[in-house]
Amino acid sequence: MDFGRELYAPWRLAEGDVLFRDLAWFNGPLSPHWNALLFRLFGPGLSVLVWGNVLVLAGTVAMLHRLVARVSDELTATSAGLVFLLVFAFGQYVGIGNYNWITPYSHEATHGVALAVAALFALDRSSRTGSVRAAAVGGLALGLCFLTKPETFLAGAAGCLVFLVEALRTRKRRIPVVFAAAMLIPIVISLVWFGPRGTIGAWPPVLDAELSRMPYYRSVTGFDVPGERSAEMIAWASVWLLVVITLGAVAWLARETRTLRVPVLTGVVVLGAAVWLGDAIPWGDVLRPLPLVSATLALVLVARMRSPDPAARPTTALALTVFGLALLAKVVLHVRVAHYGFALAMPASLVAVAALVCWLPWWLDQKGIRGAVVRAGALALLAAFAWDRVQTTQGFLAAKTEVVGSGRDAFRSDVRGTFVNGAVVQVQASAASSLAVVPEGVMINYLARVPNPTPYINFMPPEEVLFGDGAWAAAFTEEPPDVVVMVPKDTSEFGRGPFALGYGRALGAFIGERYTLRSVVRVEGIPFEIHVLGLAAGP
């Protein structure tokens, strides 16, 4: 699926191909070049990207831990870090294993979030110490973030703006100036190196109305059925509110107690109830009200920013909250742990952890209510949530009985891996020097180490909108691949019908005229076939 692209592009760049010329790319230039650098230093391999991503994850966890600790306490920050690691970092909650921080569907997503967090981390330091150097580092980080994905850059910029406005309020005018100047450095370098098209990356696709109308992207945001999604959000918000009110009531009843007995008992009861209910709780949907929660927290924090004492203003907390809220825009009515949620819902989730484990208990303590009761109940719910997500991931991992690839490219898959192995064997046996997998499956190119002679990596409906069926056919006509592998793919989620019938008609016609069937990859008992086609002699 998508992760094949994440391996193929840096491999080809490391071999000398040029992005936006030899490879048609629709994101920013930073991530594929970073991964290509890793391949140049250590050689191509899935494990090389995995360990590179582990380092990115470790740095992001460390920065977020310190930021959350700054606005709460160490217990809360550690809880937030564990939620990040156990729920978002390594999880698999759908049939595709590339929605996590180790093998992301798009490195621009994880790199973008990491760089935005780095910018906030640097500005937090600058706001506390007045360091202009830290502001410059933050600007560089956000400028690099611009070269990944628009949604991560805009969210990072929104969070950074909180710090910059506060710097202006406290007459630290050099900080915004230095930050802005430093942010422009990587953008200007990219403009010189890659030109405007390469620098703006995914901004044109984001603004493309035809893409946004596709059923797939509407389902991502939740606007495919907005009424239903809004009702689900409100229902889950009501559940959250009921839980908080219940814990608050217990905390009020225990307001005269001072021992740990009531908080511990509350935690045990909450955890026991969650375990007893088991699968009756749809834990994968519990994040639905995050936009409402984040917006409410942002309003409360904005009100506190009016304090005349700069030290009492929750600048870092507000910046984190605004960052998390802005990231949710792409999934606003359909927030979930799965799919894009591993990156887009993570920051807002950690802010919610801070609110439940620290901010709300602290506020209750100020009112003479036993906040530790709510804290214990929140920690128990987080433990149940994380345990369920780990168990769900384990279920998917248990089905991965096939080993795909070898050496540093080896990974485990379910039965689909058998088809990939068979296709790779057939391609290698053909001694082909060039290969195209249609409509998608560039992982086969990478594992067989056979490049596509055209610039195009995938041949799906979104790519047709971006590049055009005519451009595909022209590229194949100019330099036809030796072998074409046809992989059955259900494209109904894009509303275009199957390849060569609902879309890609010109390329489909070219393949039908110029290629003949050489072999078929089958697995007994599974109604699925991969067709390996060879280029026929003559025009």
Side-chain angles (χ1 to χ4, degrees):
M1 302 295 288
D2 294 334
F3 195 73
R5 175 194 63 214
E6 300 301 300
L7 287 162
Y8 179 81
W11 167 55
R12 294 314 307 156
L13 293 179
E15 292 291 319
D17 282 359
V18 177
L19 201 66
F20 305 112
R21 185 193 71 187
D22 303 312
L23 291 175
W25 199 253
F26 53 82
N27 283 324
L30 181 69
S31 294
H33 281 92
W34 168 254
N35 290 336
L37 176 62
L38 295 179
F39 278 9
R40 283 184 178 272
L41 292 175
F42 305 107
L46 169 62
S47 62
V48 173
L49 286 195
V50 164
W51 284 110
N53 291 333
V54 167
L55 293 177
V56 171
L57 171 64
T60 308
V61 171
M63 289 186 291
L64 283 170
H65 176 271
R66 293 317 309 155
L67 286 172
V68 175
R70 280 265 300 126
V71 302
S72 57
D73 55 33
E74 284 295 330
L75 176 61
T76 304
T78 301
S79 301
L82 287 172
V83 168
F84 186 177
L85 291 171
L86 295 173
V87 176
F88 298 98
F90 305 99
Q92 181 174 349
Y93 311 117
V94 295
I96 305 168
N98 59 18
Y99 295 115
N100 58 68
W101 281 70
I102 305 304
T103 53
Y105 79 99
S106 169
H107 281 85
E108 287 82 5
T110 51
H111 291 168
V113 171
L115 287 166
V117 170
L120 296 174
F121 185 81
L123 283 179
D124 169 72
R125 179 177 178 81
S126 179
S127 71
R128 289 183 289 112
T129 65
S131 170
V132 175
R133 182 178 301 177
V137 171
L140 285 172
L142 191 62
L144 291 171
C145 182
F146 181 86
L147 304 178
T148 60
K149 271 179 169 285
E151 57 264 33
T152 53
F153 170 76
L154 291 173
C160 289
L161 189 61
V162 175
F163 284 111
L164 300 178
V165 170
E166 181 63 12
L168 291 174
R169 287 181 63 185
T170 53
R171 302 183 185 280
K172 299 175 182 176
R173 295 184 177 88
R174 289 182 63 196
I175 288 177
V177 173
V178 170
F179 179 89
M183 184 184 72
L184 290 175
I185 292 174
I187 298 174
V188 170
I189 292 174
S190 179
L191 281 169
V192 173
W193 194 267
F194 299 107
R197 173 64 188 90
T199 301
I200 61 176
W203 289 87
V206 166
L207 300 174
D208 192 306
E210 187 175 358
L211 278 178
S212 64
R213 287 195 298 267
M214 285 186 168
Y216 172 79
Y217 295 108
R218 290 180 61 81
S219 70
V220 166
T221 61
F223 281 100
D224 55 336
V225 283
E228 180 181 334
R229 297 300 182 211
S230 298
E232 291 169 354
M233 180 190 296
I234 294 171
W236 272 106
S238 301
V239 172
W240 278 44
L241 186 60
L242 178 62
V243 170
V244 169
I245 289 174
T246 301
L247 290 174
V250 177
W252 183 81
L253 292 173
R255 64 190 180 281
E256 301 296 335
T257 64
R258 292 294 178 266
T259 68
L260 293 177
R261 183 177 302 172
V262 176
V264 170
L265 182 60
T266 300
V268 170
V269 170
V270 170
L271 184 60
V275 172
W276 179 70
L277 289 170
D279 293 339
I281 302 177
W283 290 103
D285 294 327
V286 298
L287 301 185
R288 292 296 180 87
L290 263 186
L292 295 177
V293 173
S294 298
T296 301
L297 291 173
L299 291 174
V300 171
L301 293 169
V302 166
R304 290 193 59 202
M305 288 291 288
R306 297 175 182 174
S307 171
D309 180 9
R313 297 172 191 155
T315 308
T316 300
L318 179 59
L320 278 173
T321 304
V322 168
F323 171 55
L325 178 60
L327 269 184
L328 294 175
K330 188 173 180 177
V331 292
V332 61
L333 294 182
H334 198 190
V335 180
R336 45 186 171 155
V337 181
H339 208 244
Y340 295 159
F342 81 96
L344 299 181
M346 181 273 296
S349 297
L350 301 196
V351 171
V353 170
L356 290 171
V357 178
C358 183
W359 300 348
L360 178 58
W362 176 84
W363 181 79
L364 291 173
D365 285 337
Q366 300 302 306
K367 301 297 181 182
I369 302 173
R370 191 76 193 275
V373 172
V374 174
R375 188 179 179 101
L379 288 172
L381 286 172
L382 291 174
F385 175 47
W387 174 254
D388 177 85
R389 296 295 83 195
V390 169
Q391 290 298 107
T392 300
T393 296
Q394 175 59 26
F396 281 101
L397 297 183
K400 297 179 184 291
T401 57
E402 305 296 325
V403 176
V404 181
S406 61
R408 297 198 298 180
D409 287 323
F411 64 94
R412 289 191 175 273
S413 170
D414 55 29
V415 70
R416 290 172 292 180
T418 306
F419 289 96
V420 174
N421 283 333
V424 170
V425 168
Q426 293 293 332
V427 169
Q428 291 175 333
S430 71
S433 61
S434 59
L435 162 70
V437 184
V438 180
E440 68 174 359
V442 73
M443 178 71 82
I444 296 171
N445 290 81
Y446 172 78
L447 293 175
R449 293 297 195 273
V450 179
N452 185 333
T454 78
Y456 303 106
I457 296 174
N458 286 334
F459 303 90
M460 295 285 287
E463 283 81 4
E464 183 185 52
V465 172
L466 294 174
F467 305 118
D469 180 31
W472 289 346
F476 270 65
T477 302
E478 181 178 347
E479 194 168 358
D482 295 339
V483 171
V484 170
V485 172
M486 300 295 297
V487 179
K489 169 66 179 180
D490 180 7
T491 57
S492 59
E493 61 186 356
F494 296 103
R496 290 292 181 91
F499 175 78
L501 296 176
Y503 78 102
R505 293 184 177 91
L507 178 56
F510 177 85
I511 293 173
E513 293 171 1
R514 295 293 306 276
Y515 290 83
T516 58
L517 181 65
R518 286 188 178 176
S519 59
V520 178
V521 179
R522 298 188 180 95
V523 175
E524 185 177 353
I526 299 178
F528 182 94
E529 296 180 347
I530 289 180
H531 292 178
V532 180
L533 313 178
L535 183 63

